[in-house]
Structures are given as structure tokens and as C-alpha cells.
Amino acid sequence: MAIMVQKYGGSSVATPAHIKRVAGHIARSREQYDRLVVVVSAMGDTTDDLLDLARQISGRPSPRELDMLISTGEQQSSALLVMALQEIGCPAISLTGAQSGISSSNVHTRAEILAIDPSRVVKELDEGKVVVVAGFQGVNGNGDITTLGRGGSDISAVALAVALGAPVCEIYTDVEGVFTSDPRIVKNARRLDEISYEEMLELASLGAKVLHPRAVEFAQKFNVTLHVRSSFTWAEGTLVKGVDELENKRVVSGVACDLNTAKAVIMGVPDRPGVAQKVFAALAEANINIDMIIQSMMRDGRNDIAFTVERSALPEAIEIMERVARELGAEGVAHDAGVAKVSIVGAGMVSHPGTAATMFGALADAGINIEMISTSEIKISCLIQEADAQKAMQAIHERFHLDA
Ligand code: ADP
Ligand code: ASP
Ligand code: MG
């Protein structure tokens, strides 16, 4: 008996007409898979609209109530999709995250899936129904609804595939697969037939929102192949799978850009042991994640330490740094929220000298200044001004001939 888990993103179920089209596709898929579980996102911009409603009521809504509110988007779309399936004679049932046995941690608005008890889902499948699960949500130990963070329906889908033993999870979205860069920004971006989990995880973490990084992580850990496809053209798409199964290792597979970043600098800190520890321990205590770090060359016994944080964490980071700066006798604190991180990702770059130089050359020729750099075995990231982001992505994409 063949089993498949399919996930349809918000744009795929944006209107009643879209929902009817998706229902038709599901009915056809059923000819191939006798056990079919479908995870849906909320229709179009519903989640944003619900968040906006909350903002009109309160500047600081309680996270529990926010989850209660925004989880309703997926309940709407799952029920509507089942109605559409029933209209065309396809037996189906919708289930919430809790009804599907998705247990999560307690952290409202960004909960983690802890376990799945798929018994209800299995029972409905045994009865010959397509099971449509509301994505993006789980239930915590108190029985309260949680959500999994923006874009979290991808995680619901992969976790269900793991729990049900499905070898493949199809992710239907509004582009034809994973591209060498965001096809909405880089016009000649090319679709990749396949990409490794490692590369996809980096691209997703570095701003390519076509897949949620945690969904990729799950898929890698449990060896579920992800098949990213378009629900608009139904074309073949991209397979995300283990690096050993790939036909070739590209030096550079893709270019990503992350605007959710900001730069913070603590200037003129005395050059003595323990100073960096003091700065970063204070930030860690406040749960602020640090990404890129640069310590400049010493002058007159003092250093500048610059780093990046998520943009939303900048105000709190600055407050903490001003306090630490006073304690350390530093010269001051500066920040810039108008930055962007552009990155290249490729499993083959580790054995290919000159990749960094090529990337820096592309930026230099485009007249773009690099403010910070960070590297790992399979990625190189540069912090630049946000205004240059699109130009930078185009220039890097071209320099590595990614459209070829
Ligand atoms: P969904 O609602 O289906 O989950 P998302 O908006 O979350 O869709 O993700 C799809 C979007 O991801 C695309 O419209 C595209 O603009 C963006 N994207 C960013 N980087 C890439 C990439 N490398 N390949 C494909 N899409 C990308
Ligand atoms: N509807 C949720 C969001 O907009 C979850 C998702 O689309 O995956 O973030
Ligand atoms: Mg998404």
C-alpha cells in the first residue's frame, strides 16, 4: 500500500477556485496512493490578516491567545478542502493538529513538535478517507493550541510523513521547485532537479523561504525525500535528498538573501581577556542569537566588536550593549538595521579554492561594499547594505553562471 503526504502552501489554497483545483489534484493522486494525508496552510494572507486583527486590539497580545487566533486560518482551509473533496465524491476528513496527535512544546507562537501519535490519522486512512490536517499547529501538555512559527506547515507535513513512515513528502507551492536563487528576485534563476539536505538546510536558514529549515532538518534526520513542486503547473519540481544520492556536487548550488538581520557594534572596548565573553554572555542571557562576529584590529589598546542579530532583537540588544559598554569603559555603541546578508551555498566549494574570491569579486565589480564575512564548509555569507541586496544577488548569480 502506497502512502504519500502532500502539503499545500497558502497561495495554493488562496481562493475557493484554488481549493477546488487542489481537490481535483488530490483525487487524481489517490489513483496512485491509496493512503493520502494532506497538510494545508491558511488561505493566502490569512495568517497576516489575523495577526493584524490582533494588533488592532492589543500592542502586546498574549502568545496563548495569538495561537488560539492564528491557528484558525488552517482550520478554515482544511475544512473547505474537505468540502471540495466531498463535492467530487472523494471521501475525506479534516483534523486539527491536536486531533492528529501532534504534541508540541509549550512555547506559544514558536512551539516545537515533540511527538506524534498518528492513531486517529491511521484509523481514518484505514477507513479509506483522505486525511486533511491543519498545518502549523500542535497541542501542548496543558491541552492548549500552539503554533510552530511562520511557515510552520512545512514542519507539520514532514513530521507526519515521518510518523506515518512515508518515504516522500510533496511540498506544493507557488514556484516550480527550488531555484538557484529566489525566482522573484533573480529573473534568470534556474530550477534545480535535485539538491542535498545539507545545501537546502543552509539555503533555507539563510533566507530562502521556499522550505522551513526545521522541516528540512527533520527530513534529513529521518531520510524523508522532499519533493518541492508547483500547484499552479504541477511540473516535476525539485527533489531534496541525501548527498550520497546526488548525481553531482556543484561548487555553488544557490544564492540566498536574508533581510531579517541587523548590525550592532560596541566601539573602543579595552583589549584584555574576558571582554568578548562579557559582551556575549549578557546577550545570551537575554536569549539573543548572535550570527556573524568581527573584532577589528586593535588601536591604542582598544578594539571594535561588531556582530549581527535578528532585526527584531536589535532594540533589546542595544539596551544590553549600552549597559555592558558602561561597565567595560567602552567608547560607545552603534547599530544599523538597514543591512542584508547575501550567501552562496554549495557542497562542492570546500574542495574548490577561489570560491570566496569569486564572490567578493562579483560584489566589488558591482560597487558593493562588504561589511562582514562568515564562512562554513558549504557556505559563504557577506553582510552588505540592504539597498544593494537585489543587485548583489544578481551579480553573484551571474558570476557563478548559475543560469547556465
Ligand atoms: P508557501 O505559501 O507555499 O509555503 P512560501 O511563500 O513560503 O510558499 O515559499 C515560496 C516562495 O519562496 C517563492 O514564492 C519564492 O519567492 C521564495 N523563494 C526564496 N528562495 C527561493 C529559492 N531558492 N527557490 C524557490 N523559491 C524561493
Ligand atoms: N499559515 C502559516 C504562516 O503563514 C503557516 C504556513 O503557511 O506554513 O506562516
Ligand atoms: Mg512556506
Side-chain angles (χ1 to χ4, degrees), residues 194-315:
E194 53 178 21
I195 185 168
S196 68
Y197 294 121
E198 289 82 357
E199 291 170 303
M200 191 62 237
L201 181 56
E202 285 288 356
L203 280 177
S205 309
L206 294 166
K209 71 167 185 166
V210 61
L211 285 172
H212 194 292
R214 262 198 284 147
V216 183
E217 231 167 12
F218 250 113
Q220 177 175 25
K221 186 165 170 198
F222 295 98
N223 206 25
V224 173
T225 300
L226 299 178
H227 188 175
V228 183
R229 316 176 54 176
S230 160
S231 70
F232 292 81
T233 66
W234 312 107
E236 249 326 288
T238 302
L239 294 173
V240 186
K241 53 192 189 179
V243 70
D244 302 340
E245 302 158 43
L246 292 191
E247 304 220 326
N248 56 32
K249 275 194 199 173
R250 293 172 291 253
V251 175
V252 175
S253 286
V255 182
C257 181
D258 187 1
L259 300 182
N260 181 20
T261 185
K263 184 168 81 165
V265 191
I266 177 160
M267 291 171 304
V269 279
D271 186 48
R272 57 168 191 262
V275 163
Q277 190 273 338
K278 195 142 197 183
V279 175
F280 293 112
L283 292 161
E285 213 165 286
N287 253 325
I288 296 177
N289 269 324
I290 307 298
D291 183 20
M292 309 165 103
I293 303 176
I294 278 190
Q295 178 168 306
S296 69
M297 289 285 280
M298 187 178 69
R299 60 186 149 70
D300 305 331
R302 286 176 181 270
N303 294 313
D304 294 342
I305 302 176
F307 54 89
T308 60
V309 293
E310 270 184 31
R311 219 172 261 188
S312 59
L314 184 65

Side-chain angles (χ1 to χ4, degrees), residues 21 66 92 171 175 188 230 237 323 340 380 393 395:
R21 264 176 5 103
L66 262 186
I171 306 279
V175 289
N188 49 0
S230 160
R323 173 170 55 77
I380 302 167
M393 288 173 82

Side-chain angles (χ1 to χ4, degrees), residues 7 9-10 41-42 44 47-48 70 74 135-136 149-154:
K7 178 251 167 179
S41 293
T47 310
D48 287 326
I70 61 179
E74 273 70 13
F136 180 51
R150 297 306 305 270
S153 297
D154 294 341

Side-chain angles (χ1 to χ4, degrees), residues 1 22 29 55 57 67 95 97 170 174 184 204 256 359 402 404:
M1 277 196 302
V22 165
S29 300
R55 269 192 290 272
I57 301 282
D67 276 352
L95 296 176
E170 289 181 335
D174 57 359
R184 292 183 202 289
M359 179 182 187
L402 294 182

Side-chain angles (χ1 to χ4, degrees), residues 7 9-11 172-175 177-179 181-184 208-210:
K7 178 251 167 179
S11 47
Y172 286 94
T173 184
D174 57 359
V175 289
V178 179
F179 282 66
S181 193
D182 188 335
R184 292 183 202 289
K209 71 167 185 166
V210 61

